Amino acid sequence: MKAIAIRDNSNSRNTKNKIFLGIVIFFSLLTILPIILIVGELVVKGIGQINLSFFTEAAPDTLQAMVAKANGETIPGGIANGITGSILIVVLAAVMAIPFGIITGIYLYETPGKRYSNIIRDIADILQGVPSIVLGLIVYLWVVKYITHSYSALAGSVSLAIMMLPLIIRSTEETLKMIPGTLKEAAVALGVPYHKIILRVLIPSSFSGLLTGILISISRILGETAPLMLTTLGNPRINWDITHPTSAVPLLIWQFYNDPNMVELIWSSSLFLMGFVLTLNIISKRISAKHSIH
Amino acid sequence: MNENIIEVKNPVLSIQNLSIAYDKGGKYAVKDVSVDVKRDSITAIMGPSGCGKSTLLRAINRMHELYPNIVTEGKILLNDEDVYGMSTIKLRRKIGMVFQRPNPFPTMSIFDNVIAGYKLNGIRLKKSEREEIVETSLRDVALWDEVRESLFKKGTFLSGGQQQRLCIARALAFKPDVILLDEPTSALDPVATARVEDLLVELKKNYTIVLVTHNMSQAARISDNAMFMYLGELVEYDKTKTMFTNPKDSRTEGYLTGEFG
Amino acid sequence: MNNSDKITKYFLFAGSFLILIVAGGMVYSLVGGAIPAFHKFGWHFITSTNWNPTEGRESYGAMPFIAGTMITSVLALLISIPMAFSTSLFVSEYFRKTPVASVLSTLVDLLAGIPSIVYGLWGFYTLRPVIMHLGLSPQGFGVFTSGIILAIMIIPYATSLSNEIIVMVPNELKEAAYSLGATRMEVIFNVIVPNARSGIVASYILAFGRALGETMAVTMLIGNANKVPHSLFDTGNTMASVIANQFGEADGLKLSSLIAIGLLLFVITALVNTAGKFIIKKLS
């Protein structure tokens, strides 16, 4: 074999290698810049507005806000109607989605190879990707038009429950898959009835995994605005009737944003919402991290 | 230890007082090793697992530096040039390496696997050059007749032994001065192992081969010189025949008679 | 199997019906609600760029919104790829298993937790003035501004899967390349990327699917003009944002047209997500 003249390109390649590392670090830092800026901006602008009445009073109307502003006073009121509305809607959604999600997840775990299970799994995957605004549209057609005949907390809950359902199904199945099969076999060998195996073995031994899935799905739906605009509309007062229009924290932010007199209130309510969602997120990650060590 | 070191004239590799630790201040994986490696021969490095033989091998082409906190003391000369003063790009072109498990690139064809070194190093070759390198390298590892019809298929469908010979061809394509092999037959069946061993004996006519093995009979069969390492130290370095028939150190004797390892 | 076990099995089976009913009902309602619009405009509904709600001269076409959705989402994907790819390399290759990598990946995960409306506010009050200041667009609204925000929003979706895939590239392949003299960058582009390619592509497809359906942030930033954007800095509307914007005043043909847009959005996102999941399934 003839010797092939090889040009020494090591200098330029080593330089390129270093430049590339620089680029990677630069873009990685650029990626986390927004989260730092966003959190920083909300904290700086929002923290001063948070006080006791923020949690106990309903949102002001635009006139109250305008008068307060004209007199140089702080805008009165809080976001209690939003907080109570969010609690009502999310709890209702969770009550609807969690049992069915867990039941379906257990079913998928118990019948892994079946064609029907594969179809259910594919549907759950597709449903997970459906834009939330489309869910709002559909639930408007179902609940607002035919069941409550008005915008309602129930309608909002149904749309959020549809968001939660596939998340719970998949997280339940994935969690159950991680349980050692011997655990179940031991129970079966002892002649324990099937429903008791589920209630006494499967669910308790996968509890932290299920909880993580539930918390993550709740943190996903808590910040949702778009479907609620089409289903619960909003309410200036605290409302606990699920057939009536109801406010929610993200809806209030949207309302404040669109009202020049109240626009200053967006920062505190956004800070509150984001803080809540991120805390839930972090708690669920902690639980799942602990879980995976064992 | 120095009394164990055999005289080598005009060595290809000269390892001088080499010590390596995986952490600063940590335990030495290789302790003060000095060795000259004979040209156009097979040198085996033996020892029980954890004795530092792989670390020593990897220090020769500086692959051990992939561990971030590694500490290296001493020097290694390749044809009188300090490898720690060279760029790794240049060094690794002169020293090829073959690993425990066959690792052809699964995304490349057999043809591209052979010239992968050129591709990775950004060296452009003419079509005729490429074809010549591929054919010569595959002939050198006795794989040409088996794969000439399927050069543009992925290398991963080959048998384990064929894959390992393909990896040797990949290392040969650069015409390196030295080939390092890290237990190259530990993942192969006896028949494939025998073929690789025959191949290595054939290759030593033109290449200097350094072979890590914990298969003693393999070292006995094919190596000219042998090192025995224990707990990071080079216990004994001698002609293979001498070491197997008349070990000077009791630890070597213990290892060769199967007391540990 | 005794009776009580059978009852349990049927109970689980029956529980799994709900998601079928929901999915079936969704398709039924979307198609049913969209029929009047398609009946009136035919396939022209998809291709027409005219959106005119004036009574008597009502005419609805979805093209401006399909175009707006595609342009903003593709732009978002293009902007997010260098960031997502760099982050993946940072976390799964260069600084793998180090504390800085876990800090970075935690922060990137947090991006997924920020509500869409908060992104919208940040885009409106922080990003928009920058765009105006740079003279890119007079009001700072439009496709470009939305694209940047969407890019930030989808980064965690683009990285989570590709991080896992990059970590899984066998070490022995990387070592083979290093032993042939490759630099780390060459190992990345010649070994890691080719071996992790389908997983990386799948995660970017899924991230793209996220961008398609994002509503609030885009609604607040795109300028809500019912026309096909002429340039990157022009205003427009997406399928999701037009539904959010125009739904409040809608009934009759307009409502049906919005539902038809919802149906189209549903179909597009389902196709994109299925493509992504299909690649992932082939991987495992």
Side-chain angles (χ1 to χ4, degrees), chain C residues 28-228:
Chain C
Y28 174 82
S29 299
L30 282 174
V31 171
I35 281 175
F38 278 108
H39 186 74
K40 173 93 198 235
F41 305 112
W43 290 111
H44 208 59
F45 177 75
I46 296 176
T47 54
S48 165
T49 57
N50 191 19
W51 184 270
N52 184 2
T54 319
E55 221 166 304
R57 275 178 294 164
E58 270 185 311
S59 166
Y60 299 109
M63 198 31 122
F65 317 113
I66 298 174
T69 300
M70 287 300 162
I71 296 169
T72 48
S73 301
V74 169
L75 181 66
L77 186 63
L78 292 180
I79 297 172
S80 72
I81 282 176
M83 305 216 268
F85 185 58
S86 297
T87 308
S88 294
L89 289 179
F90 191 105
V91 171
S92 304
E93 170 61 24
Y94 280 107
F95 299 93
R96 181 172 172 180
K97 288 183 184 157
T98 64
V100 280
S102 73
V103 168
L104 184 76
S105 72
T106 306
L107 286 175
V108 172
D109 280 349
L110 287 186
L111 281 176
I114 296 179
S116 178
I117 192 164
V118 174
Y119 277 108
L121 293 176
W122 186 73
F124 187 88
Y125 287 102
T126 306
L127 183 61
R128 203 176 52 94
V130 175
I131 303 277
M132 284 161 68
H133 187 75
L134 293 174
L136 296 175
S137 103
Q139 294 297 316
F141 291 110
V143 171
F144 187 70
T145 316
S146 313
I148 292 179
I149 288 289
L150 277 178
I152 299 169
M153 295 177 76
I154 64 175
I155 283 172
Y157 298 95
T159 54
S160 66
L161 177 65
S162 31
N163 286 359
E164 286 173 36
I165 301 278
I166 287 175
V167 166
M168 271 161 40
V169 173
N171 207 26
E172 44 207 71
L173 294 181
K174 295 185 221 166
E175 288 199 336
Y178 282 122
S179 79
L180 292 166
T183 63
R184 193 157 202 173
M185 175 185 142
E186 287 156 354
V187 170
I188 288 169
F189 285 104
N190 292 291
V191 178
I192 296 178
V193 171
N195 280 284
R197 193 180 47 208
S198 23
I200 295 175
V201 169
S203 59
Y204 293 168
I205 290 176
L206 293 179
F208 178 71
R210 282 275 149 188
L212 291 172
E214 255 315 318
T215 313
M216 291 316 294
V218 177
T219 306
M220 293 159 83
L221 297 171
I222 197 161
N224 304 316
N226 302 330
K227 60 179 170 64
V228 177

Side-chain angles (χ1 to χ4, degrees), chain A residues 10 13-14 16-17 20-21 23-25 27-39 41-42 45 96 100 102-104 106-107 110-111 114 116 118-120 122-138 140-142 145 151 162 165-166 169-170 192-195 198 219-220 222-226 229-231 250-251 253-254 257 263 266-267 270-271 273-274 277-278 281-282 285, chain C residues 1-2 4-5 8-9 11-23 25-27 29-30 33 82-87 89-90 94-95 104 107-122 124-126 141 152 155 157 181-186 188-189 209-210 212-216 219-221 239-240 243-245 247-248 250 255 258-259 261-263 265-266 269-270 273-274 277 281:
Chain A
S10 47
R13 283 165 59 204
N14 280 328
K16 267 190 212 160
N17 187 42
F20 183 70
L21 174 60
I23 292 172
V24 165
I25 292 175
F27 276 109
S28 300
L29 295 179
L30 194 63
T31 305
I32 56 168
L33 187 65
I35 182 130
I36 293 165
L37 289 178
I38 291 172
V39 172
E41 180 164 354
L42 290 195
K45 291 186 179 170
M96 289 187 271
F100 281 99
I102 290 181
I103 288 170
T104 313
I106 295 174
Y107 179 78
E110 291 290 337
T111 55
K114 263 195 179 179
Y116 174 78
N118 291 335
I119 292 172
I120 295 280
D122 287 342
I123 288 178
D125 280 347
I126 290 176
L127 218 55
Q128 222 183 94
V130 175
S132 60
I133 186 93
V134 176
L135 298 179
L137 204 53
I138 289 158
Y140 171 83
L141 297 174
W142 291 351
K145 276 180 95 171
Y151 291 101
I162 298 176
L165 186 63
I169 291 175
R170 292 314 304 274
V192 182
Y194 195 32
H195 69 273
I198 292 171
S219 81
R220 284 270 174 81
L222 255 179
E224 275 297 332
T225 318
M229 286 164 61
L230 276 56
T231 52
L251 279 178
I253 299 172
W254 178 241
Y257 167 78
V263 77
I266 56 174
W267 302 113
S270 298
L271 176 64
L273 180 65
M274 187 189 66
V277 172
L278 291 188
N281 244 305
I282 291 168
K285 293 254 160 65
Chain C
M1 197 182 260
N2 60 34
S4 105
D5 285 4
T8 313
K9 244 203 163 132
F11 177 75
L12 292 178
F13 182 55
S16 72
F17 287 174
L18 181 72
I19 190 162
L20 276 183
I21 295 168
V22 166
M26 278 170 64
V27 174
S29 299
L30 282 174
M83 305 216 268
F85 185 58
S86 297
T87 308
L89 289 179
F90 191 105
Y94 280 107
F95 299 93
L104 184 76
L107 286 175
V108 172
D109 280 349
L110 287 186
L111 281 176
I114 296 179
S116 178
I117 192 164
V118 174
Y119 277 108
L121 293 176
W122 186 73
F124 187 88
Y125 287 102
T126 306
F141 291 110
I152 299 169
I155 283 172
Y157 298 95
T183 63
R184 193 157 202 173
M185 175 185 142
E186 287 156 354
I188 288 169
F189 285 104
R210 282 275 149 188
L212 291 172
E214 255 315 318
T215 313
M216 291 316 294
T219 306
M220 293 159 83
L221 297 171
M239 301 165 88
I243 298 172
N245 262 313
F247 182 80
L255 179 60
L258 291 175
I259 294 169
I261 290 174
L263 174 65
L265 182 57
F266 174 84
T269 48
N273 283 317
T274 308
K277 300 266 168 164
K281 243 180 225 163

Side-chain angles (χ1 to χ4, degrees), chain B residues 22-171:
Chain B
Y22 281 93
D23 282 298
K24 204 173 174 138
K27 230 181 71 186
Y28 282 108
V30 171
K31 270 184 244 170
D32 196 28
V33 168
S34 296
V35 147
D36 288 343
V37 173
K38 192 170 175 279
R39 197 175 294 276
D40 294 344
S41 69
I42 299 178
T43 303
I45 310 177
M46 298 184 295
S49 41
C51 70
K53 56 189 192 298
S54 280
T55 309
L56 175 63
L57 188 81
R58 287 164 160 261
I60 296 172
N61 67 344
R62 295 172 62 183
M63 286 288 284
H64 71 310
E65 290 174 5
L66 292 178
Y67 295 92
N69 300 322
I70 203 94
V71 182
T72 313
E73 294 153 13
K75 61 179 166 179
I76 299 178
L77 302 182
L78 171 67
N79 293 323
D80 295 326
E81 201 179 344
D82 186 0
V83 302
Y84 293 101
M86 275 187 230
S87 81
T88 52
I89 291 175
K90 233 171 117 186
L91 171 68
R92 289 172 189 167
R93 202 178 289 157
K94 292 181 179 170
I95 303 183
M97 189 170 212
V98 177
F99 298 81
Q100 265 189 36
R101 288 205 293 169
N103 55 0
F105 297 115
T107 52
M108 296 181 194
S109 65
I110 292 173
F111 189 95
D112 285 345
N113 259 291
V114 177
I115 52 165
Y118 291 89
K119 290 197 145 189
L120 285 166
N121 283 279
I123 299 162
R124 295 220 179 89
L125 298 172
K126 289 189 211 115
K127 190 162 178 274
S128 59
E129 289 173 332
R130 278 202 301 269
E131 285 167 351
E132 194 191 334
I133 292 170
V134 169
E135 183 173 342
T136 322
S137 309
L138 288 174
R139 277 191 193 282
D140 281 351
V141 298
L143 198 58
W144 175 252
D145 291 326
E146 293 162 50
V147 301
R148 63 189 304 173
E149 303 298 326
S150 44
L151 284 177
F152 296 98
K153 284 192 193 156
K154 298 255 186 286
T156 36
F157 83 96
L158 298 171
S159 72
Q162 288 175 318
Q163 289 191 21
Q164 194 62 306
R165 281 185 281 146
L166 175 61
C167 293
I168 298 174
R170 182 174 66 189

